[in-house]
């Protein structure tokens, strides 16, 4: 089983839609969780960390479910500029390694 | 400006010709790491360094070497490059290597080995 698994998509949604991505992880000892955004052929950039109680940053909401070992990202009121690949990132439990999912591709259309 | 700088950004070379990709960060970060990204495989860690003179293998270290003689620099060395090392490479750094801190990525280096 892969350490971190994501639905690769692509998710094609109209502007203004709400879209949600899920990501599952295999290591129950993992303690740190992040969502990164990557534009085509560019470097990954941190979108937000994911906290146990869930957290929100503007139109973006991240949730963590430790019992089921998944994290989610909700994007409300999608913008054209949200089109990108979203990477789920989980630390490996040992503390040092970060495991990246393969990414979920989002395309927001006019 | 806080940044991670990789050079070169693009390189086309031939099998067997040694090459070095440099990585430098100006944030006084202790942790640095190299990844490669390939279609369908996502980001995979090659090597990482917890601090000066401390390096360790990631998931795909074969064919690569690294060194960490100074805190700010973490070069990636391909002693005898082969076509299967054609990839997009990213260097990243974070304050510490505890896995609970986000990483800052360089712009990437696109290597083509013919």
């Amino acid at each position: 089983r892969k350490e971190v698994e994501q639905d690769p998509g692509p998710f094609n949604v109209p502007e203004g839609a709400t879209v949600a991505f899920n990501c599952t992880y295999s290591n129950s000892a993992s303690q740190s969780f992040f969502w990164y955004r990557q534009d085509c052929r560019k470097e990954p950039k941190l979108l937000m960390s994911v906290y146990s109680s869930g957290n929100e940053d503007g139109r973006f909401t991240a949730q963590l479910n430790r019992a089921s070992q998944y994290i989610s990202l909700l994007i409300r009121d999608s913008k054209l500029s949200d089109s990108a690949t979203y990477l789920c990132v989980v630390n490996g439990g040992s503390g040092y390694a970060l495991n990246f999912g393969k990414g979920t591709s989002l395309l927001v259309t006019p | 400006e806080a940044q991670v700088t990789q050079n070169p950004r693009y390189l086309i070379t031939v099998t067997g010709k040694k090459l070095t990709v440099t990585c430098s960060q100006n944030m006084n970060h202790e942790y640095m790491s190299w990844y490669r990204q390939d279609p369908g495989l996502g980001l995979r860690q090659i090597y990482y360094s917890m601090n000066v003179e401390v390096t360790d293998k990631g998931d795909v270290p074969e064919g690569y070497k690294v060194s960490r003689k100074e805190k700010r620099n973490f070069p990636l060395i391909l002693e005898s490059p082969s076509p299967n090392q054609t990839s997009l490479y990213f260097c990243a750094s974070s304050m510490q290597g505890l896995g609970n801190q986000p990483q800052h990525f360089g712009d990437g280096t696109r290597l083509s080995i013919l």
Side-chain angles (χ1 to χ4, degrees), chain B:
Chain B
E1 181 189 351
Q3 58 186 7
V4 178
T5 304
Q6 296 178 225
N7 278 297
R9 292 289 313 279
Y10 304 91
L11 179 63
I12 301 174
T13 187
V14 296
T15 299
K17 186 176 181 182
K18 180 179 178 180
L19 67 91
T20 299
V21 185
T22 63
C23 174
S24 180
Q25 50 91 6
N26 62 359
M27 296 169 279
N28 201 36
H29 283 171
E30 292 184 354
Y31 181 89
M32 297 186 74
S33 180
W34 275 103
Y35 298 88
R36 61 178 289 175
Q37 188 172 34
D38 302 287
L41 296 177
L43 274 160
R44 294 179 293 167
Q45 191 174 47
I46 303 170
Y47 269 95
Y48 64 92
S49 170
M50 298 292 290
N51 213 325
V52 176
E53 301 292 2
V54 181
T55 63
D56 210 345
K57 297 177 181 178
D59 297 320
V60 288
E62 294 78 21
Y64 304 95
K65 285 175 59 177
V66 292
S67 68
R68 187 89 183 274
K69 293 183 170 53
E70 305 165 284
K71 199 171 189 178
R72 63 182 293 128
N73 295 324
F74 190 45
L76 179 70
I77 302 156
L78 285 72
E79 294 270 3
S80 183
S82 61
N84 65 11
Q85 293 177 299
T86 292
S87 187
L88 176 59
Y89 291 85
F90 289 106
C91 179
S93 73
S94 63
M95 195 176 300
Q96 293 171 327
L98 298 177
N100 62 352
Q101 294 169 356
Q103 296 191 2
H104 301 259
F105 283 82
D107 290 341
T109 295
R110 189 164 292 278
L111 281 184
S112 292
I113 316 293
L114 304 177

Side-chain angles (χ1 to χ4, degrees), chain A residues 32-34 36 38 41-46 49 87 90-91 94-102, chain B residues 31 35 37 40-43 45 48 50 59 88 90 97-103 105-107 110:
Chain A
S32 302
F33 311 90
F34 308 94
Y36 279 72
Q38 186 174 26
R41 296 173 178 264
K42 296 288 188 77
E43 75 277 17
K45 291 184 179 178
L46 178 69
S49 302
L87 304 174
V90 178
N91 89 311
S94 65
Y96 302 143
L98 282 180
N99 296 308
F100 286 76
K102 295 180 183 178
Chain B
Y31 181 89
Y35 298 88
Q37 188 172 34
L41 296 177
L43 274 160
Q45 191 174 47
Y48 64 92
M50 298 292 290
D59 297 320
L88 176 59
F90 289 106
L98 298 177
N100 62 352
Q101 294 169 356
Q103 296 191 2
F105 283 82
D107 290 341
R110 189 164 292 278

